Amino acid sequence: MTTTRTDRAPVAAPRVRRGGRTAWVGAGLAVVVVAVLGYLPFLTTRGTQVSLVGLFSLVVLGTMWNLLAGYGGMVSIGQQAYIGVGGYGLVYLASTVGVDPFLAVPVAAVVCALLAWPTSYLAFRLNGGYFAIGTWVIAEVVRLLVTQVDALGAGSGASLTGFAGIDPTYRIAYVYWMSLGIVVLVVGGVYLLMRSRLGLALTAIRDEPTAAGSLGIGVTRAKRVVYVVAAAGCGLAGAMIVANTLRVQPGSIFSVDYSAMMIFIVVIGGIGTIEGPVIGALVFYALQDTLADLGNWYLVVVGVVAIAVTLLAPKGLWGLTRGRVDLFPTGYRVG
């Protein structure tokens, strides 16, 4: 006669969690880094602060392009349209209308968002490579329209005179702190967005939009929200750039080079991660600062680095951690 044992220990249910010890480490590290960066104007020269504002703008641009392509599945090469609108918006509001320049920065970003909403109805009629080309065409149209407006300096550009009454030392420090605040807002905002229900929907849309739509996810609506948010973020970056240089010209602020920079930053750092664009921006900034004197060879070196990372680390530099380190977790883990 055989008997069956019924006193086996119950099997523990799988534990679904988000984050963990590394997430707390990431949060603490972020607070320390921001605190140190916030104190830097008291320790460094004005030239260093100006350079760091340039780095901050790269982080914002990379984060916004990663939001579009890495999370939203939209490969755009026309985000320079909103960079230019943000820069010109700051100049017009602060120099012509008389709005405080620091208040004009978020207003310019709102203008970019308002412009992006109707523009998305045109861009979303295209898919894949046609969408990428279409965004570039839209950016060129915006550039041509701006060059026809005399109040914006037409084709010769315009200067930002809204800071005229502020001592240069204080102006540079204020712009630096404003830019640091924008970086924290943008990176933190994308992190929280990707931890929300919309972020989960975006992950599904990126992987398979048809299947996501069949499950009741509003694919077009979610993509439109991302497109508008990314436009506002690029507008903030454009305003940061102009506040830092005090000059805007259509040939530079609407340059497709910005799209190339964003793609390089995200691909090098790691697409589809919060940390990737930050790492990519640091690498690009270091290359730009070190190799700027090489002329055209600088572009060759950047291209070689991009090819090498793509071949040796397809998931970017942050992907080399192989998921062992997740400072800003956005998904769930079972374990």
Side-chain angles (χ1 to χ4, degrees):
M1 182 177 180
T2 59
T3 59
T4 303
R5 292 179 59 89
T6 60
D7 57 345
R8 294 177 179 175
V11 179
R15 180 184 178 187
V16 180
R17 59 188 176 87
R18 171 182 284 182
R21 182 177 299 176
T22 56
W24 289 104
V25 172
L29 181 63
V31 171
V32 172
V33 170
V34 171
V36 171
L37 289 174
Y39 193 73
L40 274 185
F42 299 103
L43 304 174
T44 58
T45 63
R46 290 185 292 179
T48 301
Q49 295 171 48
V50 170
S51 297
L52 287 176
V53 171
L55 171 61
F56 296 157
S57 66
L58 292 176
V59 173
V60 172
L61 290 175
T63 301
M64 290 296 95
W65 199 86
N66 183 56
L67 177 63
L68 272 176
Y71 293 122
M74 295 175 283
V75 178
S76 170
I77 56 174
Q79 293 308 106
Q80 62 270 18
Y82 305 108
I83 299 172
V85 171
Y88 269 101
L90 171 62
V91 171
Y92 180 78
L93 291 170
S95 301
T96 304
V97 179
V99 178
D100 181 271
F102 295 105
L103 177 60
V105 171
V107 174
V110 172
V111 171
C112 291
L114 294 176
L115 175 62
W117 185 266
T119 303
S120 67
Y121 286 89
L122 174 62
F124 285 7
R125 296 177 66 88
L126 306 171
N127 295 308
Y130 295 104
F131 174 82
I133 296 173
T135 56
W136 175 75
V137 172
I138 291 172
E140 286 299 296
V141 170
V142 174
R143 181 183 67 82
L144 292 173
L145 290 175
V146 168
T147 59
Q148 304 304 312
V149 180
D150 293 335
L152 298 177
S156 60
S159 297
L160 178 61
T161 59
F163 292 116
I166 304 177
D167 182 87
T169 301
Y170 292 108
R171 174 188 64 79
I172 293 174
Y174 294 156
V175 170
Y176 173 89
W177 282 320
M178 177 194 71
S179 302
L180 177 60
I182 290 175
V183 170
V184 174
L185 173 66
V186 168
V187 176
V190 171
Y191 175 56
L192 294 177
L193 176 66
M194 293 312 302
R195 288 173 65 93
S196 67
R197 294 183 61 183
L198 177 59
L200 186 62
L202 287 173
T203 302
I205 293 170
R206 178 196 60 192
D207 295 339
E208 180 50 61
T210 303
S214 66
L215 294 175
I217 297 175
V219 176
T220 302
R221 182 174 63 253
K223 284 189 172 184
R224 182 166 288 117
V225 170
V226 168
Y227 186 81
V228 171
V229 171
C234 288
L236 287 173
M240 289 165 55
I241 293 169
V242 174
N244 199 35
T245 61
L246 302 180
R247 178 74 183 173
V248 61
Q249 291 181 311
S252 59
I253 200 70
F254 286 107
S255 175
V256 73
D257 290 348
Y258 281 115
S259 286
M261 291 179 189
M262 288 185 275
I263 295 172
F264 177 89
I265 288 170
V266 175
V267 170
I268 291 296
I271 192 169
T273 63
I274 301 297
E275 302 89 348
V278 179
I279 299 297
L282 289 171
V283 172
F284 183 81
Y285 175 80
L287 291 173
Q288 192 179 47
D289 186 60
T290 305
L291 307 175
D293 296 334
L294 297 181
N296 292 334
W297 283 104
Y298 153 72
L299 299 176
V300 174
V301 174
V302 169
V304 170
V305 172
I307 294 172
V309 173
T310 302
L311 293 176
L312 301 176
K315 294 184 179 180
L317 296 177
W318 187 253
L320 295 175
T321 62
R322 300 182 184 276
R324 291 189 293 267
V325 180
D326 198 4
L327 298 180
F328 299 100
T330 58
Y332 293 91
R333 291 185 178 183
V334 179

